[in-house]
Amino acid sequence: QSLGLPITDEQIQEMEANLDNIDFKMAADEEKKLRHDVMAHVHTFAHCCPKAAAIIHLGATSCYVGDNTDLIVLRDGFNLLLPKLARVISRLADFAEKYADLPTLGFTHYQPAQLTTVGKRCCLWIQDLCMDLHNLERARDDLRFRGVKGTTGTQASFLQLFEGDHSKVEELDRLVTEKAGFKRAYMVTGQTYSRKVDIEVLSVLASLGASIHKICTDIRLLANLKEIEEPFEKDQIGSSAMPYKRNPMRSERCCSLARHLMTLVLDPLQTASVQWFERTLDDSANRRVCLAEAFLTADIILSTLQNISEGLVVYPKVIERRIRQELPFMATENIIMAMVKAGGNRQDCHEKIRVLSQQAAAVVKQEGGDNDFIARVRADPYFSPIHKQLESLLDPSSFTGRAPQQVAKFLEEEVRPALIPYQSKMGGKIELAL
């Protein structure tokens, strides 16, 4: 109307007045008869708006309705997920800060490795989630509107409506894009927006699924070690047969659903690859499933992970005991250095330690006993020059390097600033019904 087509204020007001007046039964009956979902609703809307019936859907195509709506929904879906992801990061950041200095045994290949801290390990999780936060923001901000493009993307119907005036067709495209809340529209489309857009959207959600699967797998492994557990309710039952069990069922649920989320990206990958020319309809039913399921799955995983991160329980004594079992072997280099400083020969010391450490390993592996390597060092007169230094040489905090400083710097410079846009939505714990 603003660009000169003969559309009356009365027609516009009639349509506005009936926006929420939807006869779903009539629409269902129309679809059963017409076998076309959009036209079923066009007829139903026209029935409510007899004065505007002649101009409803004028120049448009089904994808003008469906694809533009999908883009709005995808954008709004990201806007729902992003604060949830930010809350999870915030909760884990608090956890990392609290345990930034607590030494814990590191693992590579799931074998004992150099010490790290509980907080530093948590920062590995947070960094992945921060990457996901950035990727979700980027995917949302990269979305464009399909806009007003016509049946095969040429805008031919609108050019005809405006009697060959290209500038009016371009202005119509711009105005509709702006009213939908988008800054840009895709300049080139077929009948649909490129289905590669769906790949981009589900790729970042699949990547989020991979991050959460890794985090929750770590928590499950730590629960087996009895070092860290997810929240466990007072009356919760871990097993119907084994009353003592404390199964990490929330983390297991996240892993289970994350696997589903990761596989959903295969749908748009295949769909985009088989879109013939300007489009083919074998995309439609698939997209109605995978797009919605990806956002719904990501939503419940984030809610569950928030619940987990708000109730993580740490057992420092168990962590300390495991360190005591492994640290003596890790301290051998420190012992050698101390002996050399005290006047010893590096090669002689190395051989002494090799023999004593293998004897201690045999006690652990063959007899199931505790690691007695340090006791053997204390009992050997050769090491008497450093006997008084052994306690300091075995201080776990001296084996964690810059882990506490890394936690502080990472949280201050990267994590907290990334959460600033979501500060107003950080409140409130989440409780799971089941």
Side-chain angles (χ1 to χ4, degrees):
Q1 185 199 49
S2 65
L3 293 171
L5 291 190
I7 298 169
T8 66
D9 288 341
E10 189 177 22
Q11 288 174 313
I12 292 174
Q13 289 164 7
E14 184 182 54
M15 288 189 292
E16 287 179 339
N18 284 281
L19 280 177
D20 298 316
N21 180 24
I22 305 172
D23 187 339
F24 287 102
K25 183 179 184 307
M26 180 181 179
D29 291 341
E30 287 288 335
E31 184 172 354
K32 188 173 183 180
K33 180 173 64 176
L34 303 173
R35 310 300 294 178
H36 196 289
D37 53 355
V38 172
M39 283 305 296
H41 277 277
V42 168
H43 279 256
T44 303
F45 193 32
H47 179 75
C48 298
C49 308
K51 294 174 183 176
I55 55 130
I56 290 174
H57 209 60
L58 182 61
T61 179
S62 294
C63 287
Y64 169 75
V65 177
D67 273 34
N68 279 325
T69 300
D70 285 344
L71 290 161
I72 292 171
V73 169
L74 293 175
R75 178 197 63 195
D76 292 353
F78 278 127
N79 286 335
L80 290 171
L81 291 181
L82 280 163
K84 290 196 168 197
L85 176 53
R87 278 198 297 272
V88 170
I89 294 171
S90 175
R91 303 306 191 261
L92 289 174
D94 293 340
F95 179 86
E97 189 171 45
K98 181 177 180 180
Y99 293 103
D101 300 321
L102 182 61
T104 190
L105 188 65
F107 290 97
T108 59
H109 313 272
Y110 202 32
Q111 301 300 313
Q114 277 195 348
L115 300 191
T116 182
T117 70
V118 171
K120 171 62 191 301
R121 176 178 284 148
C122 182
C123 284
L124 299 179
W125 305 340
I126 295 170
Q127 180 164 257
D128 287 352
L129 294 177
C130 283
M131 292 171 67
D132 293 315
L133 188 76
H134 172 73
N135 288 337
L136 263 66
E137 290 173 337
R138 175 185 51 76
R140 177 199 60 191
D141 296 343
D142 281 352
L143 287 174
R144 301 189 193 185
F145 208 48
R146 180 186 178 274
V148 181
K149 297 298 193 297
T151 53
T152 59
T154 65
Q155 298 177 307
S157 59
F158 296 100
L159 190 62
Q160 184 178 355
L161 282 172
F162 289 109
E163 299 179 347
D165 191 329
H166 290 266
S167 64
K168 285 190 175 182
V169 176
E170 289 184 356
E171 181 65 4
L172 177 64
D173 203 0
R174 188 191 69 78
L175 285 171
V176 172
T177 298
E178 185 180 86
K179 284 180 179 293
F182 285 80
K183 295 178 180 178
R184 298 180 298 169
Y186 296 106
M187 293 184 69
V188 176
T189 74
Q191 189 173 89
T192 69
Y193 67 77
S194 171
R195 293 311 183 218
K196 282 187 72 68
V197 174
D198 295 341
I199 297 175
E200 294 298 313
V201 169
L202 264 63
S203 289
V204 298
L205 296 181
S207 184
L208 171 65
S211 299
I212 294 175
H213 199 296
K214 185 262 195 277
I215 292 168
C216 291
T217 299
D218 282 357
I219 293 172
R220 291 163 65 190
L221 293 169
L222 290 167
N224 172 262
L225 297 175
K226 297 179 175 59
E227 292 188 5
I228 293 179
E229 287 183 343
E230 67 177 39
F232 198 89
E233 309 298 337
K234 178 177 176 290
D235 297 320
Q236 184 175 330
I237 293 175
S239 167
S240 61
M242 295 167 277
Y244 60 87
K245 292 286 287 294
R246 291 172 66 92
N247 299 333
M249 61 92 165
R250 290 171 173 84
S251 298
E252 289 172 322
R253 183 186 305 163
C254 283
C255 289
S256 180
L257 292 172
R259 284 202 297 276
H260 178 59
L261 179 57
M262 287 186 281
T263 63
L264 287 173
V265 71
L266 296 176
D267 277 341
L269 280 168
Q270 295 181 71
T271 294
S273 71
V274 297
Q275 283 299 286
W276 303 344
F277 306 113
E278 280 64 52
R279 80 85 53 97
T280 179
L281 196 63
D282 67 344
D283 65 336
S284 179
N286 184 291
R287 293 175 68 252
R288 292 171 195 232
V289 175
C290 69
L291 295 179
E293 279 200 8
F295 279 86
L296 289 168
T297 305
D299 183 90
I300 188 56
I301 294 174
L302 285 171
S303 293
T304 307
L305 185 56
Q306 181 185 337
N307 176 263
I308 293 170
S309 60
E310 288 172 347
L312 285 173
V313 181
V314 178
Y315 296 105
K317 293 297 183 183
V318 178
I319 294 172
E320 182 184 343
R321 182 178 185 277
R322 185 158 283 109
I323 289 174
R324 285 201 309 269
Q325 285 290 98
E326 302 293 341
L327 192 61
F329 293 149
M330 296 178 194
T332 55
E333 188 68 16
N334 289 4
I335 293 173
I336 291 174
M337 294 301 102
M339 280 295 296
V340 171
K341 286 181 181 179
N345 178 284
R346 193 263 179 200
Q347 311 314 327
D348 293 341
C349 185
H350 183 280
E351 177 59 21
K352 283 276 189 180
I353 287 178
R354 185 187 71 80
V355 173
L356 294 180
S357 62
Q358 289 191 7
Q359 291 172 350
V363 171
V364 173
K365 294 178 180 179
Q366 297 173 19
E367 300 175 19
D370 291 335
N371 188 332
D372 62 358
F373 172 71
I374 297 301
R376 292 176 185 272
V377 171
R378 289 187 191 281
D380 192 324
Y382 175 80
F383 293 99
S384 58
I386 64 163
H387 280 169
K388 292 182 180 179
Q389 299 179 45
L390 286 176
E391 285 299 322
S392 61
L393 291 174
L394 289 166
D395 180 6
S397 64
S398 68
F399 289 82
T400 59
R402 296 191 64 253
Q405 290 75 22
Q406 287 180 347
V407 172
K409 192 176 181 66
F410 175 59
L411 295 181
E412 179 185 357
E413 296 187 10
E414 292 196 26
V415 179
R416 304 295 188 193
L419 300 179
I420 289 173
Y422 308 99
Q423 287 296 348
S424 63
K425 299 179 180 178
M426 287 297 181
K429 282 196 169 188
I430 191 165
E431 300 292 338
L432 296 181
L434 292 173

